[in-house]
mmCIF file of all heavy atoms in Angstrom:
data_model
loop_
_atom_site.group_PDB
_atom_site.id
_atom_site.type_symbol
_atom_site.label_atom_id
_atom_site.label_comp_id
_atom_site.label_asym_id
_atom_site.label_seq_id
_atom_site.Cartn_x
_atom_site.Cartn_y
_atom_site.Cartn_z
ATOM 1 N N LEU A 64 24.986 -36.163 -22.841
ATOM 2 C CA LEU A 64 24.003 -35.100 -23.004
ATOM 3 C C LEU A 64 23.770 -34.335 -21.699
ATOM 4 O O LEU A 64 23.534 -33.121 -21.720
ATOM 5 C CB LEU A 64 22.685 -35.678 -23.532
ATOM 6 C CG LEU A 64 22.747 -36.224 -24.974
ATOM 7 C CD1 LEU A 64 21.368 -36.747 -25.382
ATOM 8 C CD2 LEU A 64 23.222 -35.160 -25.947
ATOM 9 N N ARG A 65 23.798 -35.022 -20.560
ATOM 10 C CA ARG A 65 23.619 -34.322 -19.288
ATOM 11 C C ARG A 65 24.780 -33.368 -19.012
ATOM 12 O O ARG A 65 24.592 -32.240 -18.541
ATOM 13 C CB ARG A 65 23.477 -35.330 -18.144
ATOM 14 C CG ARG A 65 22.155 -36.093 -18.160
ATOM 15 C CD ARG A 65 22.008 -36.977 -16.940
ATOM 16 N NE ARG A 65 20.747 -37.692 -16.939
ATOM 17 C CZ ARG A 65 20.368 -38.544 -16.002
ATOM 18 N NH1 ARG A 65 21.174 -38.774 -14.959
ATOM 19 N NH2 ARG A 65 19.194 -39.157 -16.082
ATOM 20 N N GLU A 66 26.002 -33.835 -19.312
ATOM 21 C CA GLU A 66 27.158 -32.964 -19.144
ATOM 22 C C GLU A 66 27.061 -31.753 -20.065
ATOM 23 O O GLU A 66 27.367 -30.623 -19.672
ATOM 24 C CB GLU A 66 28.444 -33.729 -19.467
ATOM 25 C CG GLU A 66 28.794 -34.846 -18.509
ATOM 26 C CD GLU A 66 30.025 -35.603 -18.975
ATOM 27 O OE1 GLU A 66 29.968 -36.270 -20.008
ATOM 28 O OE2 GLU A 66 31.058 -35.479 -18.293
ATOM 29 N N ILE A 67 26.625 -31.999 -21.291
ATOM 30 C CA ILE A 67 26.513 -30.911 -22.263
ATOM 31 C C ILE A 67 25.489 -29.880 -21.805
ATOM 32 O O ILE A 67 25.704 -28.668 -21.921
ATOM 33 C CB ILE A 67 26.135 -31.470 -23.649
ATOM 34 C CG1 ILE A 67 27.288 -32.309 -24.208
ATOM 35 C CG2 ILE A 67 25.791 -30.341 -24.616
ATOM 36 C CD1 ILE A 67 26.951 -33.069 -25.468
ATOM 37 N N ALA A 68 24.374 -30.357 -21.280
ATOM 38 C CA ALA A 68 23.353 -29.426 -20.792
ATOM 39 C C ALA A 68 23.924 -28.503 -19.713
ATOM 40 O O ALA A 68 23.658 -27.293 -19.723
ATOM 41 C CB ALA A 68 22.160 -30.206 -20.254
ATOM 42 N N ASP A 69 24.708 -29.065 -18.803
ATOM 43 C CA ASP A 69 25.316 -28.238 -17.759
ATOM 44 C C ASP A 69 26.280 -27.220 -18.363
ATOM 45 O O ASP A 69 26.342 -26.068 -17.910
ATOM 46 C CB ASP A 69 26.063 -29.121 -16.755
ATOM 47 C CG ASP A 69 25.118 -29.967 -15.904
ATOM 48 O OD1 ASP A 69 23.939 -29.593 -15.779
ATOM 49 O OD2 ASP A 69 25.574 -30.998 -15.371
ATOM 50 N N LEU A 70 27.029 -27.632 -19.372
ATOM 51 C CA LEU A 70 28.007 -26.743 -19.999
ATOM 52 C C LEU A 70 27.331 -25.586 -20.720
ATOM 53 O O LEU A 70 27.697 -24.421 -20.546
ATOM 54 C CB LEU A 70 28.889 -27.537 -20.970
ATOM 55 C CG LEU A 70 29.900 -28.501 -20.348
ATOM 56 C CD1 LEU A 70 30.497 -29.408 -21.420
ATOM 57 C CD2 LEU A 70 31.011 -27.727 -19.646
ATOM 58 N N VAL A 71 26.364 -25.891 -21.576
ATOM 59 C CA VAL A 71 25.764 -24.833 -22.395
ATOM 60 C C VAL A 71 24.808 -23.963 -21.592
ATOM 61 O O VAL A 71 24.472 -22.845 -22.031
ATOM 62 C CB VAL A 71 25.055 -25.425 -23.629
ATOM 63 C CG1 VAL A 71 26.043 -26.159 -24.526
ATOM 64 C CG2 VAL A 71 23.913 -26.355 -23.230
ATOM 65 N N ASP A 72 24.357 -24.444 -20.439
ATOM 66 C CA ASP A 72 23.466 -23.627 -19.594
ATOM 67 C C ASP A 72 24.234 -22.771 -18.600
ATOM 68 O O ASP A 72 23.621 -22.006 -17.840
ATOM 69 C CB ASP A 72 22.493 -24.541 -18.830
ATOM 70 C CG ASP A 72 21.413 -25.108 -19.729
ATOM 71 O OD1 ASP A 72 21.113 -24.471 -20.758
ATOM 72 O OD2 ASP A 72 20.868 -26.190 -19.409
ATOM 73 N N ASP A 73 25.548 -22.874 -18.589
ATOM 74 C CA ASP A 73 26.368 -22.103 -17.646
ATOM 75 C C ASP A 73 26.313 -20.618 -18.028
ATOM 76 O O ASP A 73 26.822 -20.227 -19.070
ATOM 77 C CB ASP A 73 27.812 -22.604 -17.688
ATOM 78 C CG ASP A 73 28.708 -21.857 -16.702
ATOM 79 O OD1 ASP A 73 28.197 -20.995 -15.965
ATOM 80 O OD2 ASP A 73 29.926 -22.126 -16.699
ATOM 81 N N PRO A 74 25.711 -19.762 -17.204
ATOM 82 C CA PRO A 74 25.582 -18.349 -17.558
ATOM 83 C C PRO A 74 26.904 -17.592 -17.589
ATOM 84 O O PRO A 74 26.994 -16.512 -18.157
ATOM 85 C CB PRO A 74 24.651 -17.799 -16.463
ATOM 86 C CG PRO A 74 24.864 -18.711 -15.302
ATOM 87 C CD PRO A 74 25.111 -20.068 -15.888
ATOM 88 N N ALA A 75 27.944 -18.185 -16.985
ATOM 89 C CA ALA A 75 29.237 -17.510 -16.932
ATOM 90 C C ALA A 75 30.106 -17.798 -18.150
ATOM 91 O O ALA A 75 31.212 -17.280 -18.269
ATOM 92 C CB ALA A 75 29.991 -17.932 -15.667
#
Side-chain angles (χ1 to χ4, degrees):
L64 293 181
R65 289 186 179 179
E66 293 176 293
I67 293 172
D69 291 338
L70 289 169
V71 298
D72 286 335
D73 181 3

